[in-house]
Amino acid sequence: MAKTATGAKALQPGMAGFAGDWSSDQRAFKNVHWGKAMMWIFLLSDTFIFSCFLLSYMTVRWSTTVPWPNPSEVFGLSVGGVEVPLLLIAIMTFILISSSGTMAMAVNYGYRKNRKVTTYLILLTALFGASFVGMQAFEWSKLIHEGVRPWSNPFGAPQFGSAFFMITGFHGFHVSIGVIFLLIVARKVWRGDYDRGDRGYFTTMKGGYEHVETMGLYWHFVDLVWVFIFAFFYLW
Amino acid sequence: MSDITQDDVGYVAPAENAEQDLYHPKSWITKYVFCQDAKVIAIQYASTAIAIGLVALVLSWLMRLQLGFPDSFSFIEPADYYQFITAHGMIMVVYLLTALFLGGFGNYMIPLMVGARDMAFPYVNMVSYWVYLTAVLVLIASFFVPGGPTGAGWTLYPPQAILSGTPGSDGGIILMLVSLALFIVGFTMGGLNYVVTVLQSRTRGMTLMRMPLTIWGIFTATVLALLAFPALFVGAIMMLLDRILGTSFFMPSIVELGEHLSYSGGSPILFQHLFWFFGHPEVYIVALPAFGIVSDLIAVHSRRHIFGYRMMVWAIVIIGALSFVVWAHHMYVSGMNPYFGFFFATTTLIIAIPTALKVYNWTLTLWKGNIRLNTPMLFAIGFIVTFLNGGITGLFLGNVAIDVPLSDTMFVVAHFHMVMGVAPMLVVFGAIYHWYPLITGKMYSEALGKFHFWVTFLGAYLIYFPMHYLGFVGVPRRYFELGDTQIFTESVGQLNAFISIMTFIVGFAQIVFFYNMFRSYIVGKKSEMNPWGAASLEWMTPEMPPGHGNWGKSLPLVYRWAYDYGVPGARDDFIPQNMAPKDVPMEKKARKSTRKRKS
Ligand code: HEM
Ligand SMILES: [Cu+2]
């Protein structure tokens, strides 16, 4: 066990380090910013929310007596007279996953204190996020035009519309919140708040570039959840 | 943040936590109303919870009036009765006990007991309280909408919860669900705070295995809540959609008053699963903080270290984990596959092992202790007895074959009131008496406290013991009146009347408690510092009550666990957690060394 002059131990890798951290004082996750720890725990809780939504969707899909509509037909788009199944969703998924990439880069540039590039990358992420929400709005209005309602739809089981609007709505709400916070973080990075450690307007807490990472965690989570929604709702 | 960890605290000065960044209030409003100090938030939480709890108490009186003296009170209609029962149950479980243990005791005790200046995110903590208050106000508002509050029972089972035959199916059920959703949002904000504070902002020397059990209980309960409330949240949202938009998540096709409703194909059992996936952990969200607090009360007031500290910690954690795999024991009569019943009965009975272990350890802590039978200790002992009693009836109910006939009888009512009504309330009282000097700086009246204990404790047994019997003879729960049911003898009615009278006596006796609290606050004698001779950190603040930032100039440095009572060789019968080994005053004819406890 490496000891420094003051009796402090250096961080160790592996299981021994894990046990050491948890049996140590002050913090269980060494070098983890409070905000980041909080975000991880929040996301764990949120995972339970989305899991409950998806499990409930599976249950009603199984309990309903009317056949389930075929998602690849319902979610098809006709381009130049050709029916392409799941086209819009494919594009949306692609965009959202790309936004995770730009977010990861933003975190990286943030820690290098590259203000300008970080801002641009966050803004780009927000743009991707906003266009995802926009396309979702398009998809909703298209389905509504075709007569899909939360309580009924022309294609089959009424639970199809219910689960669709509820789950994509709840996810879209997460994305929208994310976009708003991305814009706020982008503004702070741009102004240099994180370089100077300015205090937040509401929280009066000092900010640093860790906030970009915390924001990134949320964003990746929302993205990951979408993958599950995509798999369970659109592909199944 | 640095790359090194400080463990060997013997010769390292306490470090300020670089991330702790206290907010200093600038005006009266930010100091007392929108306050970010966890101690003030704790008191706001606790007072709100107790206030709404009193509403629930009055509701229970109204119910008892009807049950004890049917046909005598014409102002209680069957519909009212169901509304009372629902609001009573929901308020007691969620808005009183959960908020009081986690929002109240959690906020007050966590920073003090782990040696932090405040919660990790004071602003979020403050918002948490205001969202909670909004949830409470929405709940109260449901009493005033047309149709009144919902009468669906605290379990809110669909389909009946949203059908028009149930009282309060207009606005009441909507406001109930909205209020629950708000409560969960508010709780999540607070809960994240509690967890992060315990994990990431302990003071130097405070390892997880040196934390008082109070903190372990509150911490584990908060983790449970963060993982269990999502199920209720999702259930509430889906039921709102069913009710408002006419979706059919929980609604099968139904004929009501000869009319075929537009619902079809939903699954009512799905709601039960979601509800109990929350509901069973919820009982431990209430029980675990009580376990933790009672351990500390017993240790302090019997001047003994808690027996088997490590076992106690692991028992809390294991109970918490197991509580997620037993939920369907509430659904034995819902038409479940018998194999599931077998699985859930097994897991349910397994929980009894760590629970029993805790009871043994409490008893062993008392054994040969230097017991001081003051008010907090009486309440603590009262808890052990009551909890044991409720736990044993739980073992009966956990077995499918025994539960099926007992389910939905007064026996179940007796079980859960013993185990999650009376027992945690005894801890709440004990804890309030115990920490009253810390929070107010004054001493309460011991005589009134003891009187309060005996009336409450004996009264609770006189109320709930007969209910077991009523359950055995088959008296159903949630019945407005029994009428001339042939199978019930006259004695059932007499017993019911007796219970009702006791309810009033016990309820009114609580006035003694409030009188004691208010009077002592104003004219009580000033308490000395650390009046109980407790070793844990919350009593070591430079001022009492603790000031803003808790610790004055520098954070405390912790050298030992929270239970160094009666250490051989030491002069005093306790050693504070933050006293360095070399400073411990020794007995005059000192033997060579103090027994040094590792961690
Ligand atoms: C070894 C311990 C325990 C066992 C085996 C156990 C078992 C059970 C069972 C099987 C039921 C369902 C009865 C029925 O509806 O037919 C039940 C109900 C209940 N239990 Fe427990 N229990 C235990 C401990 C607790 C604890 C610690 C609490 C709370 C702190 C608690 C609170 C409740 C509540 C509130 C209900 C009633 C729910 C309702 O139907 O409205 N139980 N218990
Ligand atoms: Cu249970």
Side-chain angles (χ1 to χ4, degrees):
Chain A
M1 207 171 282
K3 283 199 177 186
T4 62
T6 52
K9 294 174 207 151
L11 285 182
Q12 295 169 289
M15 264 325 273
F18 176 79
D21 288 356
W22 279 82
S23 50
S24 75
D25 58 354
Q26 293 194 309
R27 34 178 87 215
F29 304 105
K30 305 291 171 191
N31 301 338
V32 172
H33 185 254
W34 286 355
K36 186 171 158 187
M38 161 148 130
M39 185 53 84
W40 270 111
I41 297 162
F42 168 71
L43 294 181
L44 190 63
S45 186
D46 216 13
T47 307
F48 272 62
I49 293 195
F50 277 108
S51 312
C52 289
F53 271 129
L54 285 173
L55 285 168
S56 303
Y57 143 73
M58 292 173 201
T59 314
V60 292
R61 181 166 174 163
W62 167 75
S63 76
T64 185
T65 45
V66 187
W68 201 256
N70 179 356
S72 16
E73 281 164 27
V74 179
F75 297 115
L77 273 191
S78 72
V79 186
V82 192
E83 282 291 329
V84 191
L86 296 176
L87 177 61
L88 185 64
I89 314 305
I91 300 174
M92 282 165 68
T93 308
F94 180 74
I95 287 186
L96 202 61
I97 291 185
S98 316
S99 78
S100 252
T102 53
M103 188 71 231
M105 285 161 71
V107 174
N108 188 317
Y109 277 97
Y111 278 128
R112 296 190 208 171
K113 306 239 181 294
N114 190 333
R115 246 180 49 204
K116 218 159 147 194
V117 180
T118 311
T119 316
Y120 289 146
L121 283 167
I122 299 179
L123 285 177
L124 189 61
T125 312
L127 186 74
F128 280 148
S131 49
F132 176 88
V133 178
M135 283 189 247
Q136 196 157 55
F138 171 76
E139 187 186 40
W140 275 42
S141 54
K142 174 173 168 287
L143 287 176
I144 291 172
H145 273 298
E146 290 167 6
V148 182
R149 299 285 182 277
W151 51 90
S152 73
N153 68 74
F155 308 113
Q159 278 78 8
F160 173 78
S162 330
F164 171 77
F165 286 116
M166 179 178 73
I167 295 180
T168 59
F170 200 70
H171 178 264
F173 173 71
H174 272 71
V175 180
S176 314
I177 297 280
V179 170
I180 295 171
F181 274 90
L182 280 172
L183 294 177
I184 296 174
V185 172
R187 176 159 174 264
K188 291 192 169 196
V189 173
W190 181 249
R191 281 196 316 209
D193 286 17
Y194 293 154
D195 297 303
R196 295 187 300 270
D198 284 358
R199 285 168 186 283
Y201 178 76
F202 283 116
T203 60
T204 68
M205 299 269 258
K206 286 200 188 106
Y209 277 101
E210 307 87 28
H211 288 209
V212 182
E213 192 190 354
T214 309
M215 183 67 230
L217 281 177
Y218 176 82
W219 194 257
H220 296 316
F221 170 78
V222 171
D223 195 1
L224 183 67
V225 167
W226 177 254
V227 173
F228 281 92
I229 296 176
F230 180 67
F232 286 123
F233 204 89
Y234 293 87
L235 295 186
W236 177 20
Chain B
M1 279 173 289
S2 65
D3 271 326
I4 47 172
T5 67
Q6 304 288 356
D7 249 358
D8 298 292
V9 290
Y11 35 93
V12 190
E16 274 304 312
N17 214 324
E19 271 179 72
Q20 187 92 60
D21 187 9
L22 273 195
Y23 171 76
H24 296 286
K26 294 178 194 71
S27 66
W28 187 84
I29 300 245
T30 47
K31 191 158 177 201
Y32 294 107
V33 184
F34 295 104
C35 182
Q36 302 193 12
D37 188 326
K39 295 188 291 297
V40 179
I41 297 174
I43 292 176
Q44 291 173 328
Y45 250 115
S47 341
T48 313
I50 292 175
I52 188 77
L54 286 176
V55 174
L57 177 74
V58 172
L59 292 173
S60 75
W61 281 343
L62 292 170
M63 277 150 34
R64 279 319 312 185
L65 276 183
Q66 169 59 32
L67 289 181
F69 313 98
D71 304 327
S72 327
F73 295 93
S74 55
F75 66 93
I76 306 177
E77 301 277 319
D80 300 324
Y81 181 81
Y82 288 109
Q83 293 171 326
F84 298 158
I85 217 168
T86 308
H88 164 82
M90 197 62 103
I91 291 176
M92 286 295 191
V93 173
V94 176
Y95 298 86
L96 171 70
L97 285 175
T98 309
L100 187 55
F101 272 122
L102 303 181
F105 287 107
N107 265 317
Y108 208 95
M109 290 305 155
I110 290 174
L112 281 167
M113 282 186 155
V114 303
R117 292 200 181 276
D118 204 333
M119 285 288 180
F121 310 99
Y123 177 79
V124 183
N125 208 16
M126 182 260 291
V127 178
S128 156
Y129 168 71
W130 292 98
V131 178
Y132 164 65
L133 183 65
T134 317
V136 171
L137 293 178
V138 172
L139 180 75
I140 294 177
S142 79
F143 281 82
F144 301 101
V145 293
T150 175
W154 84 283
T155 46
L156 302 178
Y157 279 3
Q160 45 91 5
I162 55 179
L163 291 183
S164 57
T166 308
S169 58
D170 303 330
I173 181 74
I174 298 182
L175 289 184
M176 179 77 252
L177 295 169
V178 169
S179 169
L180 280 176
L182 280 174
F183 179 91
I184 294 167
V185 171
F187 172 79
T188 305
M189 298 187 202
L192 292 171
N193 247 309
Y194 316 150
V195 172
V196 174
T197 307
V198 170
L199 287 179
Q200 297 292 82
S201 89
R202 281 163 285 135
T203 189
R204 191 166 288 177
M206 181 61 85
T207 61
L208 288 174
M209 280 302 187
R210 280 178 182 175
M211 292 196 305
L213 286 168
T214 299
I215 301 301
W216 269 108
I218 293 175
F219 171 73
T220 315
T222 311
V223 175
L224 293 194
L226 286 174
L227 303 182
F229 273 126
L232 180 66
F233 184 77
V234 169
I237 289 194
M238 298 206 301
M239 208 198 285
L240 270 178
L241 293 177
D242 279 4
R243 169 67 185 71
I244 299 175
L245 291 184
T247 59
S248 306
F249 288 113
F250 300 137
M251 303 297 280
S253 71
I254 280 185
V255 177
E256 188 182 52
L257 299 173
E259 193 190 334
H260 203 284
L261 299 183
S262 60
Y263 295 116
S264 84
S267 165
I269 295 282
L270 169 63
F271 180 84
Q272 299 189 11
H273 280 295
L274 288 173
F275 183 86
W276 288 114
F277 186 80
F278 144 79
H280 189 82
E282 168 66 27
V283 307
Y284 285 99
I285 293 166
V286 171
L288 293 182
F291 289 176
I293 292 173
V294 96
S295 310
D296 283 354
L297 298 195
I298 286 177
V300 173
H301 296 286
S302 62
R303 318 307 299 159
R304 285 260 282 142
H305 66 81
I306 190 82
F307 189 90
Y309 173 81
R310 270 166 195 278
M311 262 193 275
M312 294 298 255
V313 171
W314 284 112
I316 288 181
V317 174
I318 290 170
I319 292 174
L322 284 177
S323 73
F324 279 102
V325 289
V326 301
W327 77 89
H329 65 210
H330 297 273
M331 297 164 57
Y332 289 153
V333 292
S334 302
M336 225 181 0
N337 184 319
Y339 287 108
F340 283 141
F342 175 74
F343 171 80
F344 283 105
T346 312
T347 49
T348 303
L349 298 180
I350 289 175
I351 291 205
I353 298 170
T355 315
L357 191 148
K358 297 193 76 74
V359 177
Y360 286 128
N361 281 358
W362 288 322
T363 321
L364 286 169
T365 306
L366 291 171
W367 192 44
K368 287 191 172 173
N370 178 7
I371 298 177
R372 301 175 183 166
L373 277 184
N374 48 21
T375 312
M377 186 60 158
L378 286 174
F379 276 104
I381 296 175
F383 165 83
I384 301 180
V385 178
T386 313
F387 189 78
L388 183 63
N389 178 73
I392 288 173
T393 53
L395 288 179
F396 286 80
L397 294 175
N399 290 286
V400 186
I402 310 179
D403 180 72
V404 170
L406 285 178
S407 187
D408 279 320
T409 66
M410 285 312 237
F411 188 85
V412 172
V413 178
H415 157 69
F416 70 74
H417 276 92
M418 274 291 179
V419 85
M420 97 176 291
V422 180
M425 272 324 282
L426 290 176
V427 176
V428 164
F429 287 130
I432 292 179
Y433 284 113
H434 178 77
W435 282 306
Y436 187 80
L438 176 73
I439 296 171
T440 61
K442 299 287 178 60
M443 206 48 172
Y444 60 85
S445 151
E446 192 66 48
L448 288 181
K450 285 199 171 124
F451 174 77
H452 175 217
F453 168 76
W454 286 111
V455 179
T456 309
F457 178 72
L458 296 179
Y461 272 76
L462 292 176
I463 294 173
Y464 294 109
F465 245 54
M467 280 192 200
H468 291 92
Y469 167 73
L470 289 180
F472 272 136
V473 299
V475 177
R477 78 190 261 221
R478 291 183 178 167
Y479 266 40
F480 172 67
E481 59 184 349
L482 298 174
D484 316 313
T485 316
Q486 290 295 313
I487 53 166
F488 299 130
T489 55
E490 220 177 293
S491 61
V492 166
Q494 289 161 352
L495 208 49
N496 260 331
F498 171 77
I499 294 176
S500 295
I501 294 169
M502 289 318 300
T503 329
F504 276 86
I505 296 178
V506 175
F508 276 113
Q510 305 310 312
I511 292 177
V512 176
F513 166 72
F514 288 105
Y515 172 75
N516 194 358
M517 294 294 112
F518 286 118
R519 202 192 86 100
S520 309
Y521 185 63
I522 296 162
V523 300
K525 76 173 196 305
K526 206 168 168 322
S527 163
E528 56 200 285
M529 301 287 274
N530 196 358
W532 312 123
S536 49
L537 219 48
E538 81 270 22
W539 297 97
M540 307 305 156
T541 52
E543 306 159 81
M544 199 175 90
H548 187 56
N550 293 350
W551 302 105
K553 273 219 184 56
S554 63
L555 288 179
L557 181 53
V558 169
Y559 295 92
R560 57 190 78 245
W561 68 343
Y563 300 99
D564 262 343
Y565 296 105
V567 178
R571 190 195 64 201
D572 304 327
D573 72 341
F574 72 103
I575 309 177
Q577 267 191 295
N578 59 347
M579 184 175 279
K582 63 177 169 26
D583 299 335
V584 177
M586 299 312 249
E587 251 167 13
K588 276 282 148 49
K589 301 169 280 183
R591 271 163 287 160
K592 278 288 291 242
S593 69
T594 39
R595 192 176 93 231
K596 205 182 152 208
R597 275 219 147 260
K598 216 157 182 275
S599 76

